[in-house]
């Protein structure tokens, strides 16, 4: 399963007066959907005795989120970290993740029978593109926006939310990739014992571009087709006309304004 | 590879720090310094007024494709229950604009079945060509089949731009196609422009739940793919035009699709159509209870409006999920939006800020919603709305 470290986004807000970004508190967290992905993986581990491996690509600081995943109970954590991975768009990110997954599968000798769980989207880049691109590169089917999953032997049956009120139930054979919504489950908190183990005993394994035998034209900035040209704060333009007076008065004023605006 | 700051040119103005969403730049002795958590997103390069920031690249840049070989703008249709979705038509109007600037054809690509007798009607929406891929299995959406057909068509026809609705469907197959083609894909765009000199598509999209906008381009590869939000672009005007229709009967093989649809579960009772509503009355937590929503509904009824709500009202079970407006609900752009007891969280705002006129009723004078409203009323909605309903009833009577 794939975990991304993201800036603590609930703490990011716009200061309405200066129209700038205010960051408060925590710097980085596990991407919220990836917590649900972790929880699902752990449930599958309990029910089906599978091995759960978490994979993250990011700077060395991303080790933190993998430690947290270890504390929650996963078996193994791998961090893909290399300066050469930086600047990756979703094409290059999914390529790097795919290289690592193939390497791990080979080591485990389980190229036939595996399930990849991702979050439906990351709160920062927020493209939701990494999971389908990863599935494509691995040559396996994907089911995105999953809100329920049933695993039995070599196949999965999932509920995919494809419209606000409609769900499609899809069945597919393993290997497969799914991306999960936050409604799928309630992520657990790491236990005290889990935390101790994660910080004292468990190891985070590092892979760099050499370890992955990566082609430098397919990773990081070089492997990216999109580029961020500009970042800006959306202009919030209006100055409201505040209507004052008795309730009757404000209602009458509002109706008059809306008439003038040719709404009524 | 890294971001380089020219200490000679840097004035310590901190513009780059403000542009950095990763907090990866700090001032060291009044000179900008890049920290290890830099992701090389390059936003700071554009932001620097002194041109003191540059990117040091190594030379292994991926092989360049001859981008001049790619011509034309495509819109890929999305349909459900044999009806083309609104967003596809909205993309046709934007697509027409882009195709005109580039002086190329606009193509509408439909993968489906049972559309034969509708093509005539579709051809009023301004495209030059319709490519209709027909197969009974394409009645439903399958990611692997869409990926296969679209990649094959792209390789054959070589369009320079492909626009796809940023829906659960579009966001599912677009990345898969992009990966197979090794094409750049920009997600969830809300703005599209052309830089005519390079013929690059400038794709603007919200990130961080709408707090930050990013403009993305795909300079050295084609096609340029983008998924685009619904409700951002207007429906196209109907026009009479000669449209070239290319119909391909497609035969899939058994192994083309690994997954199979077991069933579809629907949770709706009455169809809700917020996207097309001229007037929307939306309620938030401030409405107070499910029973109280009757009042909001009454206001909607006298206005002939559609009813909507903030996410909390859905979480509390006051409203059906398809009435949620915002980042994780629908994006709307009515002529009039009345927000009752909604605080104005950014995730709500991004779903309704394109409304022509926004009226906010909230008892808290500091509620953020007032920053986005055209008309604001500070007060208790339970007192204001009944009177508003009466006033509108009188107006309706006068009109008759
Ligand atoms: C402002 C901005 C805009 C951008 N816009 C685009 C764009 O339009 N197109 C584009 O191709 N790139 C874009 N990028 C680059 C993109 O954010 C990165 O490629 C990022 O590494 C992955 O994309 P995401 O955050 O959208 O992830 P998503 O695809 O939204 O993530 C979904 C899931 O994939 C997994 N995942 C994603 N990244 C990682 C990781 N590093 N390690 C482990 N698991 C992971 C997680 O399970 C996650 O929940 C943009 C970057 C920025 C800063
Ligand atoms: C990832 C993510 C995605 C999200 N997506 C969405 C989304 O798509 N859509 C969405 O709406 N939210 C979304 N949210 C939630 C969002 O952050 C807010 O929590 C939510 O919009 C707040 O709803 P509200 O304004 O109804 O409630 P509150 O914030 O609780 O506001 C209630 C308001 O009612 C006012 N009020 C109370 N009583 C009265 C009265 N008697 N008369 C008048 N005014 C009164 C109060 O002053 C207050 O301003 C999302 C959040 C996250 C983290």
């Amino acid at each position: 399963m794939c975990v991304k470290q993201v800036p603590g986004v609930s703490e990011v807000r716009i200061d309405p007066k200066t129209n700038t970004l205010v960051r408060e508190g925590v710097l980085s967290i596990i991407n919220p959907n990836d917590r649900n992905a972790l929880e699902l993986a752990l449930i599958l581990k309990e029910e089906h005795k599978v091995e759960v491996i978490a994979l993250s690509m990011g700077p060395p600081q991303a080790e933190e989120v993998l430690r947290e995943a270890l504390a929650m109970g996963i078996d193994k954590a791998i961090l893909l970290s290399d300066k050469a991975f930086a600047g990756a768009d979703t094409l290059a990110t999914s390529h790097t993740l795919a290289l690592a997954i193939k390497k791990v599968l080979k080591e485990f000798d389980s190229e036939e029978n595996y399930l990849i769980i991702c979050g439906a989207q990351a709160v920062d880049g927020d493209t939701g593109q990494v999971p389908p691109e990863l599935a494509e590169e691995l040559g396996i089917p994907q089911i995105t926006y999953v809100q329920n999953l049933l695993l039995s032997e070599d196949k999965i049956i999932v509920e995919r939310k494809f419209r606000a009120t409609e769900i499609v139930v899809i069945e597919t054979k393993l290997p497969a990739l799914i991306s999960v919504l936050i409604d799928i489950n309630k992520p657990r908190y790491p236990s005290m014992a889990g935390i101790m183990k994660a910080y004292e005993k468990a190891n985070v394994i590092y892979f760099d571009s050499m370890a992955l035998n990566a082609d430098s034209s397919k990773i990081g900035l070089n492997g990216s087709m999109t580029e961020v040209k500009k970042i800006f704060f959306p202009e919030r333009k209006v100055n409201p006309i505040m209507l004052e007076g008795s309730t009757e008065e404000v209602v009458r004023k509002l109706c008059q304004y809306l008439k003038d605006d040719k709404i009524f | 590879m890294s971001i380089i700051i020219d200490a000679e040119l840097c004035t310590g103005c901190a513009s780059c720090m403000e542009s950095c969403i990763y907090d990866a730049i700090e001032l060291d002795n009044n000179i900008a310094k890049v920290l290890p958590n830099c992701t090389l997103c390059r936003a700071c390069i554009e932001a620097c007024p002194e041109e003191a920031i540059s990117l040091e690249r190594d030379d292994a840049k991926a092989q360049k494709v001859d981008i001049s070989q790619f011509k034309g703008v495509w819109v890929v249709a999305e349909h459900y229950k044999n009806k083309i979705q609104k967003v596809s038509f909205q993309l046709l109007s934007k697509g027409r604009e882009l195709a005109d600037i580039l002086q190329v054809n606009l193509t509408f690509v439909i993968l489906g079945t049972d559309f034969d007798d509708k093509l005539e009607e579709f051809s009023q929406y301004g495209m030059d060509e319709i490519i209709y891929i027909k197969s009974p299995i394409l009645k439903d959406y399958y990611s692997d089949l869409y990926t296969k057909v679209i990649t094959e068509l792209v390789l054959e026809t070589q369009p320079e731009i492909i626009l796809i609705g940023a829906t659960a469907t579009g966001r599912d197959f677009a990345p898969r196609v992009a990966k197979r083609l090794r094409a750049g894909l920009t997600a969830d765009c809300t703005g599209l422009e052309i830089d005519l000199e390079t013929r690059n598509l400038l794709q603007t999209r919200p990130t961080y739940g709408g707090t930050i906008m990013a403009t993305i381009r795909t300079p050295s590869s084609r096609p340029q793919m983008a998924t685009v939000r619904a409700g951002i672009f207007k429906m196209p005007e109907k026009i009479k035009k000669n449209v070239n229709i290319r119909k391909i009967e497609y035969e899939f093989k058994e192994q083309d699709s690994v997954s199979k649809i077991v069933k579809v579960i629907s949770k709706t009772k009455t169809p809700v159509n917020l996207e097309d509503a001229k007037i929307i009355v939306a309620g938030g937590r401030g409405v107070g209870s499910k029973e109280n929503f009757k009042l909001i509904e009454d206001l909607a009824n006298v206005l002939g409006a559609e009813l909507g709500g903030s996410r909390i009202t859905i979480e509390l079970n006051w409203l059906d999920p398809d009435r949620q407006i915002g980042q994780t609900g629908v994006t709307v752009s009515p002529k009039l939006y009345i927000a009752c007891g909604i605080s104005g969280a950014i995730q709500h705002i991004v779903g309704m800020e394109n409304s022509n006129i926004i009226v906010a009723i909230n008892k808290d004078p500091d509620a953020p919603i007032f920053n986005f409203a055209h008309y604001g009323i500070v007060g208790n909605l339970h007192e204001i709305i009944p009177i508003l309903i009466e006033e509108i009833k009188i107006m309706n009577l006068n009109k008759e």
Side-chain angles (χ1 to χ4, degrees):
Chain A
M1 52 128 338
C2 301
V3 220
K4 188 184 184 195
Q5 183 190 40
V6 297
V9 84
S10 56
E11 322 299 324
V12 180
R13 62 180 178 87
I14 291 270
D15 180 334
K17 299 216 173 58
T18 58
N19 202 28
T20 55
L21 199 69
V22 190
R23 287 194 201 79
E24 289 156 347
V26 237
L27 258 183
S28 46
I29 54 168
I30 297 187
N31 179 47
N33 286 68
D34 299 354
R35 284 189 165 279
N36 301 93
L38 271 167
E39 176 63 32
L40 178 61
L42 291 171
I43 293 171
L44 295 178
K45 177 182 164 167
E46 287 154 10
E47 289 174 357
H48 299 268
K49 309 252 172 312
V50 291
E51 171 122 16
V52 179
I53 304 172
L55 206 63
S56 186
M57 182 187 96
Q61 296 96 300
E63 194 183 309
E64 271 307 300
V65 301
L66 287 174
R67 292 257 172 228
E68 204 175 327
L70 283 166
M72 281 169 77
I74 61 154
D75 300 299
K76 204 180 218 173
I78 302 172
L79 180 59
L80 316 177
S81 197
D82 194 315
K83 273 197 108 157
F85 297 153
D89 72 354
T90 58
L91 282 177
T93 301
S94 55
H95 176 66
T96 311
L97 292 171
L99 287 179
I101 290 170
K102 285 180 190 160
K103 183 178 159 81
V104 172
L105 290 173
K106 230 188 189 137
E107 280 167 18
F108 270 76
D109 203 20
S110 68
E111 275 130 315
E112 295 305 311
N113 202 2
Y114 64 95
L115 174 67
I116 310 278
I117 309 174
C118 294
Q121 65 204 59
V123 286
D124 54 349
D126 198 9
T127 65
Q129 292 174 183
V130 171
E133 290 181 352
L134 181 55
E136 170 65 23
E137 185 151 351
L138 294 169
I140 60 177
Q142 83 206 20
I143 305 170
T144 52
Y145 307 104
V146 168
Q147 57 173 37
N148 214 340
L149 171 132
L150 205 85
L151 168 70
S152 65
E153 295 290 311
D154 62 341
K155 69 170 192 223
I156 52 172
I157 299 168
V158 303
E159 291 179 13
R160 168 174 201 263
K161 186 168 171 181
F162 73 109
R163 301 165 70 80
T165 54
E166 265 143 319
I167 293 161
V168 55
V169 182
I170 303 177
E171 184 186 304
T172 197
K173 279 217 169 68
L174 293 181
L177 176 146
I178 61 165
S179 77
V180 301
L181 293 170
I182 44 177
D183 355 18
I184 192 167
N185 54 36
K186 245 188 129 195
R188 69 193 65 189
Y189 289 101
S191 68
M192 210 48 213
I195 295 174
M196 302 283 284
K197 196 169 134 208
Y199 285 86
E200 280 167 13
K201 293 209 201 88
N203 265 332
V204 170
I205 303 160
Y206 273 72
F207 287 167
D208 60 8
S209 64
M210 287 268 279
L212 294 181
N213 214 346
D215 171 348
S216 69
S217 71
K218 289 191 176 162
I219 55 170
L221 195 57
N222 286 337
S224 300
M225 296 298 168
T226 60
E227 87 184 26
V228 180
K229 183 172 180 282
K230 185 167 89 179
I231 279 181
F232 58 100
F233 299 104
E235 246 176 70
R236 313 286 183 188
K237 54 276 150 184
V238 292
N239 274 319
I241 299 177
M242 299 303 287
L243 308 176
E244 278 155 18
S246 72
T247 308
E248 283 76 10
E249 276 166 17
V250 295
V251 165
R252 223 166 290 132
K253 279 184 194 165
L254 176 65
C255 289
Q256 189 56 50
Y257 274 120
L258 293 178
K259 260 187 209 153
D260 295 347
D261 291 335
K262 304 212 161 41
I263 300 280
F264 288 163
Chain B
M1 227 166 332
S2 49
I3 297 284
I4 305 291
I5 294 179
D6 188 332
E8 300 278 298
L9 295 176
C10 178
T11 59
C13 74
S15 304
C16 53
M17 284 173 68
E18 260 174 48
S19 77
C20 181
I21 51 176
Y22 291 95
D23 241 349
I25 305 180
E26 61 179 27
L27 285 185
D28 184 7
N29 264 328
N30 238 356
I31 289 179
K33 185 174 132 194
V34 180
L35 303 175
N37 57 328
C38 166
T39 66
L40 296 185
C41 85
R42 287 149 287 167
C44 53
I45 298 180
E46 188 87 8
C48 177
E50 309 298 330
E51 294 185 17
I53 309 182
S54 58
L55 176 79
E56 186 195 54
R57 277 174 187 272
D58 19 319
D59 31 4
K61 183 74 191 167
Q63 77 292 5
K64 282 216 166 181
V65 273
D66 180 5
I67 60 176
S68 67
Q69 296 297 313
F70 293 77
K71 286 259 152 30
V73 177
W74 278 16
V75 171
V76 181
E78 174 169 347
H79 54 86
Y80 181 58
K81 293 190 171 159
N82 213 42
K83 261 189 78 182
I84 302 282
Q85 302 294 292
K86 281 265 144 54
V87 61
S88 307
F89 292 124
Q90 292 162 358
L91 290 187
L92 281 175
S93 78
K94 189 63 190 184
R96 181 73 266 165
E97 204 184 303
L98 302 178
D100 287 344
I101 296 171
L102 291 165
Q103 300 187 327
V104 293
N105 280 349
L106 173 66
T107 304
F108 195 38
V109 180
I110 308 171
L111 281 68
T113 189
D114 289 339
F115 283 111
D116 301 62
D117 51 1
K118 299 220 174 102
L119 300 180
E120 190 98 2
E121 183 202 327
F122 298 158
S123 55
Q124 304 173 341
Y125 288 111
M127 72 290 274
D128 303 293
E129 181 191 31
I130 295 177
I131 302 180
Y132 172 36
I133 312 284
K134 190 179 170 187
S135 166
I137 193 173
L138 292 174
K139 180 169 91 49
D140 295 309
Y141 166 72
Y142 289 92
S143 51
D144 25 18
L145 303 186
Y146 266 62
T147 308
K148 182 173 192 307
V149 172
I150 295 169
T151 13
E152 283 172 8
L153 261 186
V154 171
L155 290 172
E156 179 207 309
T157 327
Q158 306 211 317
E160 59 196 306
I161 292 174
I162 306 178
L163 306 179
I164 297 163
T167 59
T169 302
R171 290 178 64 143
D172 189 68
F173 74 82
R176 200 136 185 157
V177 171
K179 185 78 187 191
R180 203 168 287 182
L181 293 168
R182 254 174 90 63
L185 171 62
T186 305
D188 249 344
C189 300
T190 55
L192 297 170
E193 272 170 71
I194 299 284
D195 173 22
L196 200 51
E197 202 179 307
T198 57
R199 296 177 79 85
N200 282 339
L201 181 63
L202 303 180
Q203 308 154 102
T204 298
R205 57 173 304 239
T207 55
Y208 282 88
T211 45
I212 297 170
M213 305 297 288
T215 304
I216 313 264
R217 61 181 171 188
T218 311
S220 54
S221 86
R222 293 289 182 270
Q224 308 163 83
M225 296 180 61
T227 61
V228 184
R229 286 232 181 132
I232 302 289
F233 301 116
K234 298 276 174 254
M235 290 291 285
E237 309 270 337
K238 288 193 181 172
I239 53 159
K240 268 218 149 65
K241 197 162 184 257
N242 252 341
V243 175
N244 179 24
I245 295 179
R246 195 177 145 201
K247 185 167 128 185
I248 306 169
E249 304 260 1
Y250 203 99
E251 299 219 3
F252 290 101
K253 298 187 198 71
E254 176 105 46
Q255 69 267 26
D256 284 342
S257 183
V258 203
S259 313
K260 71 167 194 275
I261 295 176
V262 183
K263 63 178 172 204
V264 176
I265 306 168
S266 182
K267 289 193 285 188
T268 13
K269 285 150 249 145
T270 46
V272 177
N273 194 348
L274 285 164
E275 270 135 345
D276 297 324
K278 297 231 159 31
I279 303 180
I280 293 174
V281 179
R285 199 209 305 263
V287 175
S289 69
K290 191 166 184 158
E291 291 70 48
N292 287 350
F293 245 92
K294 176 81 176 53
L295 184 64
I296 309 297
E297 235 180 297
D298 289 346
L299 178 58
N301 284 340
V302 293
L303 286 168
E306 192 69 84
L307 180 69
S310 69
R311 188 167 85 173
I312 286 177
T313 64
I314 277 86
E315 280 166 0
L316 292 169
N317 242 329
W318 296 352
L319 285 184
D320 285 338
D322 46 352
R323 295 196 184 272
Q324 181 185 325
I325 292 163
Q327 188 196 341
T328 42
V330 283
T331 307
V332 299
S333 48
K335 271 171 37 190
L336 174 64
Y337 190 93
I338 306 182
C340 314
I342 293 179
S343 62
I346 190 75
Q347 296 91 348
H348 186 79
I349 298 297
V350 294
M352 46 65 86
E353 65 183 335
N354 285 328
S355 309
N356 276 0
I357 301 280
I358 297 169
V359 175
I361 304 174
N362 196 304
K363 68 175 183 189
D364 173 8
D366 293 326
I369 187 79
F370 289 124
N371 293 324
F372 307 98
H374 301 81
Y375 304 113
I377 301 178
V378 177
N380 185 346
L381 66 93
H382 301 292
E383 286 165 19
I384 294 162
I385 293 179
I387 294 173
L388 182 58
I389 292 175
E390 288 314 310
E391 186 75 21
I392 293 167
K393 275 188 185 159
I394 294 168
M395 273 188 350
N396 285 349
L397 277 179
N398 288 344
K399 255 190 237 162
E400 276 164 16

